[in-house]
Amino acid sequence: MNEYKWYVIRVVSGQEKKVKSYIETESQRQDLQDYLPQVLIPSEKVYEMRNGKKRVRERNYFPGYVLLSADLSHGEMAPFIKSVPSVIGFLSEAGGGDPVPLRQSEVNRILGKVDEVEASEQEVEAPYIVGEQIKVMDGPFSGFTGVIEEVSEERKKLKVVVKIFGRNTPVELNYMQVEKQD
C-alpha cells in the first residue's frame, strides 16, 4: 500500500504549468503514476477589465512552487522529480537534504483554500481608490468618465460621480462596469 504525503518542489518561476504537465506525462510513460497521484498548482481565477474587455487570468498563490502528493519511499520517485527540467529541488530543512513533507494542517489549509476559491465567485483584481479617475465601460453611462467617490469592497460596487449634461451626477456601478484611467 502506498503512503502518500504532500511535498513542495521549487521550480523556475513561470514554469509551473510546464513542470506539472511534464511530471504527469512522464510519470504515465514511466509507469510511476501509482506513486504520484496528484500534482497541484494552487491558483485562483482573477477577472480584470482591460481595454473595455473582461479578461480572465489565473494567478498562482505560490509562484515558483508546485505541490505534489507522492510516495517517495519508492526509490525512483525522488530522482525522477529532481530530473524534470525547470525543477530546482524539493523543499527541505537543509539545502539539498531529504524532502520534508508538509504537515497535515498545512495541506488542509492549502487544499481548503483551493476548494474555497473554486467554489467562490469571481474575484476582481484592481482595487479601486477614492478619487481615482475611471471610465464607464458598460451600461447606460458607457463611455462616460468619472471620479470614484466611494468604494464598497463587500458589494463590489463603486459610487462614481459622472458629469451628465454639465452636472455632477452620482451613480452606482459594479467593478465590472468600469475601467481605470491611466
Side-chain angles (χ1 to χ4, degrees):
M1 177 145 173
N2 298 328
E3 187 178 321
Y4 302 117
K5 290 182 179 172
W6 284 93
Y7 296 92
V8 178
I9 53 173
R10 293 183 327 145
V11 301
V12 174
S13 189
Q15 300 289 311
E16 294 90 352
K17 285 183 181 174
K18 192 182 279 186
V19 167
K20 178 183 177 188
S21 174
Y22 187 90
I23 289 174
E24 289 172 344
T25 306
E26 280 300 303
S27 66
Q28 284 183 351
R29 196 178 68 74
Q30 296 183 20
D31 204 24
L32 294 171
Q33 70 269 16
D34 291 341
Y35 304 102
L36 185 69
Q38 195 171 5
V39 180
L40 184 70
I41 304 170
S43 60
E44 66 181 339
K45 285 185 180 169
V46 176
Y47 295 82
E48 61 186 12
M49 294 291 287
R50 268 230 177 122
N51 297 328
K53 295 187 178 176
K54 189 168 131 183
R55 291 182 29 182
V56 181
R57 69 180 179 91
E58 238 173 65
R59 182 174 61 190
N60 287 351
Y61 278 124
F62 310 113
Y65 295 96
V66 173
L67 282 76
L68 48 95
S69 174
D71 180 8
L72 293 185
S73 64
H74 187 271
E76 295 178 29
M77 282 309 297
F80 161 70
I81 291 167
K82 286 179 184 174
S83 70
V84 172
S86 301
V87 170
I88 297 168
F90 280 95
L91 214 56
S92 60
E93 289 179 3
D98 291 334
V100 177
L102 291 173
R103 288 184 296 243
Q104 192 58 43
S105 62
E106 294 170 323
V107 173
N108 291 344
R109 190 177 42 182
I110 292 168
L111 294 180
K113 191 167 188 173
V114 170
D115 290 343
E116 180 183 299
V117 167
E118 286 175 358
S120 73
E121 281 186 34
Q122 47 188 262
E123 183 174 322
V124 177
E125 187 181 72
Y128 294 99
I129 304 166
V130 173
E132 193 173 25
Q133 283 273 339
I134 55 97
K135 183 176 182 182
V136 181
M137 302 307 294
D138 189 32
F141 303 106
S142 179
F144 285 77
T145 58
V147 177
I148 297 173
E149 201 167 66
E150 192 178 311
V151 179
S152 174
E153 290 280 337
E154 306 85 44
R155 295 174 47 222
K156 308 273 187 225
K157 298 251 181 189
L158 302 170
K159 191 173 276 183
V160 178
V161 174
V162 179
K163 211 167 208 153
I164 302 173
F165 302 120
R167 291 184 167 175
N168 286 337
T169 309
V171 294
E172 191 174 82
L173 303 165
N174 69 40
Y175 283 5
M176 302 311 290
Q177 291 181 293
V178 300
E179 180 182 73
K180 287 183 175 189
Q181 293 280 296
D182 294 326

